[in-house]
Amino acid sequence: MKPARIKREVSSGGVIFRRRDDKVEVGLIAVKDGKVWCLPKGLIERGEDEEDAALREVQEETGLRGRIVDKIGDVSYWYYIKEENVKCRKTVHFFLIEYMGGDTKEHSWEVDRAQWFEIDEAISVLSYKGERDILRKAKEMLNG
């Protein structure tokens, strides 16, 4: 068997937040039959910058519109694409996004569910360590 080729992907996503009473809530998505909770993100399209891609992906996947407040940071990881026999190095740029409108019921068909969570609960619900770290950093930024 030939060794796997290497592919690179760059995505953008965000932590969309709103303040309710004295609490901060963030929008998460569920995928893989609702078993995996994660931050909304997706590939940057040709001609798009990181910020525009983040806003588009957040709106598509959660149904929520927002405006970028700041960049939170990046997460990079490897995964294997079995069908292509390719090892993929993925980098995701994450932005802090203030909620401006929209409804989680309007999420894309690619997503099983979109839901608001109080930020500490969201940190514990997220399936991936890198995204939990991003959300902790977002919380620090919001507590300023």
Side-chain angles (χ1 to χ4, degrees):
M1 189 159 131
K2 290 193 317 203
R5 295 184 334 266
I6 293 178
K7 177 178 179 175
R8 297 194 184 285
E9 289 183 348
V10 182
S11 289
S12 245
V15 172
I16 188 160
F17 73 94
R18 67 182 180 189
R19 297 182 190 275
R20 301 211 15 159
D21 304 318
D22 59 344
K23 293 190 177 1
V24 172
E25 295 179 331
V26 296
L28 301 182
I29 59 169
V31 295
K32 300 185 181 176
D33 295 324
K35 294 183 185 83
V36 174
W37 284 96
C38 52
L39 294 170
K41 62 191 169 296
L43 292 172
I44 298 173
E45 294 176 356
R46 187 180 305 275
E48 216 176 20
D49 63 24
E50 296 171 5
E51 292 88 351
D52 289 339
L55 291 171
R56 177 184 52 76
E57 286 292 343
V58 166
Q59 183 168 355
E60 286 175 6
E61 294 192 345
T62 65
L64 307 171
R65 294 181 317 281
R67 66 173 189 88
I68 290 183
V69 176
D70 206 348
K71 182 159 185 181
I72 302 168
D74 303 331
V75 173
S76 292
Y77 54 92
W78 288 95
Y79 71 98
Y80 181 68
I81 305 171
K82 193 174 178 181
E83 304 77 35
E84 300 175 40
N85 187 32
V86 170
K87 284 198 306 192
C88 188
R89 177 67 171 171
K90 183 162 193 160
T91 298
V92 186
H93 304 288
F94 282 105
F95 294 87
L96 189 60
I97 300 172
E98 183 178 10
Y99 170 70
M100 304 302 278
D103 191 313
T104 55
K105 292 185 205 82
E106 295 167 22
H107 67 78
S108 138
W109 60 270
E110 300 171 297
V111 169
D112 297 314
R113 259 172 74 200
Q115 184 179 321
W116 288 105
F117 288 89
E118 192 275 312
I119 196 163
D120 289 323
E121 182 185 2
I123 291 167
S124 67
V125 164
L126 281 172
S127 299
Y128 303 116
K129 181 193 180 302
E131 293 188 4
R132 287 192 299 273
D133 294 342
I134 286 290
L135 193 48
R136 282 188 195 99
K137 189 170 174 191
K139 181 182 174 182
E140 287 172 21
M141 292 166 76
L142 288 165
N143 291 340

